[in-house]
Every structure is written in structure tokens, then in C-alpha cells.
Amino acid sequence: MRVLFLLFVLPLQIVAQPFSKSEIASWEKQANNINIIRDNYGIPHMYGKTDADAVFGLLYAQCEDDFKRVEMNYIDKLGRLSEINGEKDLYNDLLIRLVIDTADAIKDYTLAPVWLKKILNAYADGINFYLYKNPQTKPVLIHRFQPWYPLLWTDGSIGAISTGGISVKELKTFYSGKEEESSSFVTYKEEELTGSNGFAFSPSITESGNAILYINPHVTFYFRPEVHMVSEEGLNAYGAVTWGQPFVYQGFNEHCGWMHTSSEADISDAYIEKLYQKNKDWFYTYDGKEKAVTIKPISIQYKTANGLETKVFNAMFTHHGPILTQRNGEYLSLRHNNRDTKGFMQSWLRTKANSFDAFKKTMDMGANPSNNTVYADAEGNIAYWHGNFLPKRNPTYNWENPVDGSIKATEWLGYHPVNESVHLYNPKNGWLQNCNATPFTVAGKNSPNKKDYATYLAPDGENFRGINAVRVLDEEKKYNLDKVIKAGYDSRLSFFEVMVPALISAYEKNSSKERPYENLKEAIAILKSWEFRVGENSVATTIAIEWAQILMPMINKIKTTNGDDDIVSKTKQYVATVNPNDLLRGLNATLNELNGKFGKWQMPWGEVNRFQRINNDINNQFDDNQPSFPVAFASSAWGMLPSYNSRSFNGSKKRYGVHGNSFVAAVEFGKRIKAKSLLAGGESGDINSPHFFDQGLMYSKGQFKEVLFYKEDVMKQAKKIYHPGEKY
């Protein structure tokens, strides 16, 4: 059977209603209660009487800085990318609409408690007031933002969708009935690797006797701006937001701080459904009984040369969720939690937590599905939680694979409370780390024991950043902010500690025989003397990274039983089994490619690896003929803590960064907050703004600025004070 999916017709936003006089008057009145203070780096500090005022100001300021990205994030989450990008995004939209029901978001908004509804209304009002006051800004699709839009995500991670291991490619094959052609040659792109680092330091290992938190998300550049929200209702939160978010996603208040890394904790499951057709109707077997398949006709519009066209599909649902694909002749449905208003509430409430107990109460909501949390506070506590939304399952089944959906034994058995999750409070060693890897090395020798937990609670494998972080954090015994930043910018590439010795061994064994790779002698000598550290002037870094990119697709094919995406085990197994000539051929190809691009292969890393921002194109356009900064950092794939993922593009020979360190902060808690931060490039998306790239050189060098957290400090560096609606 061919199943074609379509989603719910989107209400209320296809034709935008004009703003009414009463709405505009209400917005003008609220704007007078709000001050936006722009500091010397253009960071917006929002001050309002109420929390809702701070949200109104936050969204207005975000639109000033980059309305394009605010709108694009919601076009994505509404499943409407096809309307602007055409058929290429049809099945991405399809996936979104299958797992996120806009009708449920609207219902949750309608039933929301008063405090939450005020926040959501302020979100929409702030954006709509911006559109009213700035008619020169032309939305691509959304001319009126609705207050239920933020309820389309679970915890604020726009784009974090869990599919139980079912790919968009499988979705497309199933829905279109056509096998997608795939290339036999796969080009490895560093930016496909996502990741973040979170470190926490207890008073026992800091100079001041205060806890310190290191916040280091790795995302697409310019994906998260730096903001500050203050109200007379107890809100005082500083940190990073994803464009369009009404709350600080990764950051701190005067009492505590939180950093999220991505989790592999199992939060969704694929079920094998026994479907059959009878008299043109569809049924499935469950618990020995016949149940009707729910059919939902769904339509998706997509852009063509002749305007918008519509595809209408019949989506099929069992009680588990939508049927997503057919694999090996078996229909697979998905049970998931990709939209949950409790997740939004949890994200908001943690920004106002004023103690360890208060923060733990937000964690007890168990609504955060995609994140781990690294924490520190003014009381001196540090903590780590691996995941948060954690369904209970029958441990006799292998939940890494689809399970039988026709029996009750595979149903979720409720949810794990926090005390059953993998977590750790105040370890003896005094530090915690997570780099999107296993929680069983989170505090070195003081980490949780893997044997104490069900596999599905922490299937994460190890990565080379985790290896490096454990080593680095144990090297200092008295941390301060500068030492924390230094640790976060450690220059070692632990991946090559495994790979380069294997290459050298292959060369030395080969050269004693027929010596076909004599031309590699100089490059091998450079790598042999290399200490596996990046550097602007390091030729070894250039050779090693370009060589590793050729080999990485083969390494990724290695199967391992040590956890999901355990790249450390895969790499070690690859080295143990690879034909040595493959390593040498890869190096030979690397030198030839560098020679072809630059006329020589002896290229210092900083000449090849650059940071450039010459326009605000979301799709990233770069030009070798335009100014750029050299960058010593490298991709997290190689164990680099300050991640900088770069590659060359059509028309460019040099590599340009597109993903990695975004908003970075080191925060010391105590009687008074001390913090330093750095943002990729600059706060503004306006190419004519002085804050478009004013942090570019600083970013390329890892040089941080002082955070202005207290109003007296903000006022000393204030460059513009205004109400929303006034000219910035």
C-alpha cells in the first residue's frame, strides 16, 4: 500500500487580518511600560513592569535585529517551508505536520492559565507591533503572528524532532512511492555534526569559593542572539535565545544557571503495526482485537513556477501515532512527544528559579525531551541531569529497534521521575561536564554507574570532545572565569591521537618495501612532530583535517555496541581493521587536492580556515576576495572543545565557518554575578548595523567581553534607550 501523508489545514494564518485600532492602542500603551537599553555591543536589555512586558520587549528587539530569522523559525515549525522553497521541502513539512498538531497548540493556548496566556499574548503582540511600526519589513509568509505559535515546540529547541530512527528519506519513499536515488560517493560535511559543551565547577575547586558555569552551545552561526530580560515580577535572566523564543533558553539569573546539551535518551519509539484492508477500510490488530485506522486527509501547499499548488494525502494513525513508513514490509508508527505545552512552561519557570530546590521543581515537571542540563548556582551546588522526559518501558525489549505494536507489553508504563533518571549532584571531584556524550564520564571517576540504569535512559556513546573535556578539567585545581574559558578553548584534537599514529605506522611499514608513497615523506614528518594541537600557523592541522574528512564516511559506517554514535569506538575499530594503504591513499589525495586549490599543500591552518560575514543570507555565501579573519579552531568532530565547523563552498577555495560556538559564557555565582560572554560575529542581522560583525575579530581569537548584568553597569555602557516602537 502506498500511504500519502498530509497534515492539518492551518487555521487563522493563511489570510492575515489587518491590525485593529484597539490592538494598536493596546500595544502603544504597553510599549510605554518597557525600556529597551542597547549596550555598546548592541545587546538588548529589556526592562518592564511585568514579565509580559519583558517578553513584549524581547520579541520586538529580536525583530529589530533579525526578523527574517524569527519568521523563518516559525515557517519551519508550522510546516510551511514548501510554500517558499518548493517541493524540495515538501517531506520535511510533512514530517513536521505529522508530529506537531496545530489544533492541539491552539487548544492548549485556549486552556492556558492566566500567567501563561499573558506571556504568549506578549510574544505575539511584540512581533505584530514591530510589523505595524516597520512597514518596510516584508514578511515572506507570516503577516500576523499568533500567540499559540510558541506552543509548537516542546522545550524551546526549535527544530529538535524525534522520529524513533525513521528518516525523512524513508518518509519520502513511503509517501511518494518512489525510491530516492543516492550517490555512491558521500562527501562528509563537518557542520552536520551538532553538539554543545556544558561545564560546572563547585566552590571546592574555584579561587573565589563560588560555583562557576560554562555555557557553550554549538549551533548554526547567527542562530541565537544574546539578550537580557528584567521585570518587576522577579525576572532577571541573561543568555541566549533561539530567534522567536520568548524566554532565555541557555543562560543564568542571579541565583542559578543552566546549560543544555543534546541528549540521546530514548524519548520516542517506532512500533510495528499489523495493518490490513477490508472493504476499502483500514484496520490494525491490537491485543487480539481489530481496531480501525484513523484517516486524516491533509493538504500541503508548495511553490511552483506557476504559483502555489496543493498535494492532498491520506495520513494514517494508530493509537500509537502516525504511520511514518514501511520498512522490510512492515508498517511503522511513531509514539513521541514533539509538542508539549508543559515543556514551554518548564522552560519559562526555570528562568525564575531562585534556589536549587526551585530549579529541581522545574525539572520534576519532566517535560524537557531533547536536552541534558548542566547546572550551577549561588548556593554552591553543581548538578547534571541526562534527559528529562523519560518514558518507562518493559526492559525485556530492545527499544533501540522498532517493537511489536500489536501487544500491550510494549506500551509505555508511565514516566521515570527525576530520581530514576541518570543524574548527579555535587560530585567529589568538583566538576561536571557533558559534550553530547555518555553521562557515565560526566564527572570522571565520580560519574554514575552505567549498570545502574536501563539502556534506553542513556544510550549515548562517547565522543572525542568528551574524552578531551575529562582530561582538561582535571588539570586545574583552582578555577576562575579566565581559567574556565581557557579550559573551554583547549586546543587539543583528541581524534588525531588515535588516527595519526596509525597513519605514521602505515607509512613506515610501507616505505621499507616498495616505497610507492615517497612523496608523502615531508607531510609525514610534519605530522610526526605534531602535538595534536590546532594553531593558525600549523600546517599539520590543515593536512590532518583535510585527510580525516576523506576517511570519515568509512569510519561512520563502522558498527559498534558501545552506544549510539560512539565515534571513539568506531574510530578505534576502524584503525584496527583498515587496510594501511587506505590511510596512505587518503593522505596522497589530500596533498593533491591542496596543491590543486592553492598551488602548494604546505598551507597554514589560519590561511585556509576563515571567519567571514559579508551579508545576512541564511544560506551562507562566502567570497575569497572579501576580508575575513583567520581562525585557529576546528570542528568538534576532531575533539575540539571550541567547535568551529567550516568547509569550502562553490566559488571558494578557502574554508568558512558556518556552525559551532555561538553564544558562549562563563558565569560565576555568589553575592554578585560575574560573567563574560562572546557571540559569533555580532548581535544584529542588519549588514549596515555597527553590531553586524563587531565581535568578529574577538570571536576568531576567543576574546570575551564583560557581561552587563546589573542595571548600573548597563547604564554606563548604554548607547540607546527607547520604548518599543521608537526608532532604534
Side-chain angles (χ1 to χ4, degrees), residues 38 70 92 94 127 240 262 284 433 460 542 545 587 617 628 657 662 683 698:
R38 297 279 185 168
V70 171
N92 291 309
L94 190 54
I127 301 177
S262 298
Y284 66 105
Q433 66 81 28
D460 317 56
T542 305
I545 289 174
L587 181 58
D617 192 333
S628 61
S662 52
E683 181 77 14
M698 296 163 57

Side-chain angles (χ1 to χ4, degrees), residues 353-397:
N354 57 12
S355 67
F356 192 27
D357 286 341
F359 194 89
K360 284 190 286 187
K361 286 181 180 179
T362 69
M363 296 299 293
D364 286 341
M365 294 176 72
N368 187 333
S370 65
N371 292 324
N372 310 313
T373 303
V374 182
Y375 170 92
D377 66 29
E379 300 171 46
N381 297 294
I382 63 173
Y384 176 78
W385 295 270
H386 196 78
N388 186 242
F389 170 79
L390 300 167
K392 282 187 178 181
R393 301 162 171 96
N394 185 328
T396 61
Y397 292 92

Side-chain angles (χ1 to χ4, degrees), residues 192-249:
E192 291 172 354
L193 275 174
T194 58
S196 301
N197 304 331
F199 305 154
F201 306 84
S202 75
S204 64
I205 61 168
T206 64
E207 287 183 357
S208 64
N210 297 321
I212 297 176
L213 180 67
Y214 185 67
I215 300 170
N216 183 203
H218 300 163
V219 295
T220 305
F221 289 168
Y222 323 119
F223 188 68
R224 290 204 176 120
E226 183 174 348
V227 303
H228 186 197
M229 305 171 67
V230 185
S231 82
E232 296 175 15
E233 294 182 336
L235 176 68
N236 189 2
Y238 193 107
V241 298
T242 305
W243 294 107
Q245 277 183 331
F247 52 81
V248 171
Y249 180 52

Side-chain angles (χ1 to χ4, degrees), residues 246-492:
F247 52 81
V248 171
Y249 180 52
Q250 292 163 315
F252 57 94
N253 59 36
E254 56 194 326
H255 304 287
C256 58
W258 54 96
M259 166 61 202
H260 298 306
T261 60
S262 298
S263 176
E264 294 293 336
D266 192 354
I267 60 171
S268 64
D269 287 308
Y271 285 88
I272 301 169
E273 305 285 12
K274 296 180 179 179
L275 266 64
Y276 55 92
Q277 194 172 21
K278 187 167 65 175
N279 298 326
K280 295 185 179 181
D281 293 322
W282 284 93
F283 300 87
Y284 66 105
T285 301
Y286 179 72
D287 194 27
K289 299 176 183 178
E290 180 178 272
K291 299 190 71 171
V293 172
T294 300
I295 306 294
K296 296 182 180 180
I298 299 168
S299 62
I300 300 180
Q301 291 185 309
Y302 61 97
K303 182 180 178 181
T304 73
N306 299 318
L308 290 178
E309 294 187 12
T310 302
K311 282 193 177 182
V312 179
F313 309 96
N314 288 322
M316 304 176 72
F317 292 76
T318 71
H319 70 284
H320 292 124
I323 303 292
L324 291 188
T325 194
Q326 191 175 21
R327 185 188 294 169
N328 300 323
E330 297 174 327
Y331 296 100
L332 301 185
S333 68
L334 177 72
R335 184 166 185 184
H336 63 91
N337 185 35
N338 284 306
R339 197 213 64 78
D340 184 354
T341 294
K342 278 179 60 182
F344 180 95
M345 295 169 70
Q346 181 180 14
S347 295
W348 173 265
L349 291 171
R350 70 168 167 252
T351 68
K352 299 186 72 174
N354 57 12
S355 67
F356 192 27
D357 286 341
F359 194 89
K360 284 190 286 187
K361 286 181 180 179
T362 69
M363 296 299 293
D364 286 341
M365 294 176 72
N368 187 333
S370 65
N371 292 324
N372 310 313
T373 303
V374 182
Y375 170 92
D377 66 29
E379 300 171 46
N381 297 294
I382 63 173
Y384 176 78
W385 295 270
H386 196 78
N388 186 242
F389 170 79
L390 300 167
K392 282 187 178 181
R393 301 162 171 96
N394 185 328
T396 61
Y397 292 92
N398 180 3
W399 293 95
E400 294 183 10
N401 298 321
V403 294
D404 187 350
S406 68
I407 57 177
K408 283 187 176 181
T410 58
E411 295 295 340
W412 289 356
L413 307 172
Y415 302 92
H416 289 277
V418 167
N419 64 1
E420 293 180 1
S421 69
V422 185
H423 65 282
L424 187 61
Y425 304 153
N426 299 315
K428 292 181 181 179
N429 57 300
W431 55 260
L432 290 164
Q433 66 81 28
N434 186 258
C435 299
N436 300 103
T438 174
F440 304 118
T441 58
V442 71
K445 296 178 182 178
N446 296 282
S447 303
N449 190 332
K450 187 174 184 177
K451 295 179 181 179
D452 294 338
Y453 301 92
T455 301
Y456 62 76
L457 289 174
D460 317 56
E462 186 60 279
N463 63 34
F464 285 101
R465 274 181 297 128
I467 294 289
N468 205 26
V470 169
R471 174 173 55 188
V472 168
L473 297 185
D474 240 358
E475 292 176 346
E476 174 63 50
K477 302 306 177 186
K478 286 297 177 181
Y479 278 98
N480 57 30
L481 288 183
D482 290 334
K483 290 178 180 178
V484 165
I485 292 170
K486 181 181 178 182
Y489 275 72
D490 185 82
S491 62
R492 282 169 285 198

